[in-house]
Amino acid sequence: MDARFLGITELVEAPSVAVVVDVMRAFTVAAWAFAQGAEKIVLAESLDEALALKARHPDWAALKDGPPAPGFDMVNSPGLLRSVDLGGRTVVQKTTAGTVGALAVKDASLVLCAGFVVAEATARLLRTRKSDSVTFVVTGDDGQADEDLACAQYIARRATEARTDAAEFVHRAAESRAAAELADGVRQGVHSDDVALCLEVDRFPFAMVASLEGSLMVLRPRAVLSLTDEASTTLE
């Protein structure tokens, strides 16, 4: 598999397959939203669009980066989100980097959104698809965020070497500027457990696939068979 690692501004054309990585915190939060029962996540282009969608659909839940704000139900924090019941609800998400990266590749034939919490399921989906070329979109810090690059490189390695050890990649993410800013309270709308939750590997057994549904970019979970399940299915 030919893997390319690009920042959002380096994208000059729609890739065939894109994996958009935002570890701290957009796609860790998205995975937690699905774990808390959300049906789907609409990726908004702007705060105004998120609020407009919420106004048209009062039963939807809207979340954003930073501190709480009028019109938004939640902030972009896995530590805060894990106690919220989202059973059957639609979530509207707008973040500084992750949602921007996903919208930048909305014309790709396959868009996966990922963090460490869904790394193996994402890699397994790439293995199943047997893609010749995959573009990993490193969303943070204009493509320089080491937590996103480390996770992207880990998923790329896992896609071809299933038993790759995560320790080196997680250590890099733990030492990143984003991790330090979250731990030191530089960013707002933060829970003390956010860094640890973002660094959990394979917490959830699903990948997250984004695709256009009408005019909206919608993220949904997709269950992926484990190696054990694959073997059992083959034997049957």
Side-chain angles (χ1 to χ4, degrees), residues 70-228:
F72 288 89
D73 304 276
M74 300 169 291
V75 295
N76 194 45
S77 161
L80 295 171
L81 190 69
R82 63 184 170 174
S83 61
V84 178
D85 180 5
L86 293 171
R89 297 184 72 184
T90 294
V91 173
V92 181
Q93 185 180 34
K94 170 66 179 87
T95 69
T96 306
T99 58
V100 176
L103 289 164
V105 292
K106 63 184 179 181
D107 293 324
S109 60
L110 175 65
V111 179
L112 305 177
C113 296
F116 282 110
V117 290
V118 293
E120 170 55 22
T122 304
R124 198 179 303 134
L125 192 55
L126 292 174
R127 290 199 298 270
T128 301
R129 187 179 174 94
K130 298 179 181 178
S131 302
D132 293 330
S133 177
V134 178
T135 297
F136 289 85
V137 183
V138 180
T139 60
D141 291 341
D142 294 323
Q144 302 303 308
D146 202 37
E147 74 281 2
D148 293 339
L149 180 59
C151 183
Q153 291 172 336
Y154 175 60
I155 293 171
R157 184 84 61 83
R158 283 287 285 267
T160 56
E161 301 173 28
R163 300 196 181 277
T164 300
D165 188 354
E168 168 198 343
F169 302 94
V170 172
H171 177 73
R172 283 170 52 194
E175 295 297 313
S176 68
R177 185 176 76 174
E181 289 179 352
L182 288 173
D184 295 342
V186 174
R187 302 186 184 188
Q188 294 181 294
V190 177
H191 188 279
S192 58
D193 291 340
D194 278 358
V195 173
L197 292 173
C198 289
L199 297 177
E200 286 189 316
V201 180
D202 302 337
R203 171 83 187 224
F204 304 113
F206 52 80
M208 299 187 294
V209 181
S211 59
L212 286 170
E213 298 185 13
S215 62
L216 299 176
M217 190 68 164
V218 178
L219 187 63
R220 294 181 183 272
R222 180 178 298 180
V224 184
L225 289 175
S226 68
L227 294 175
T228 302

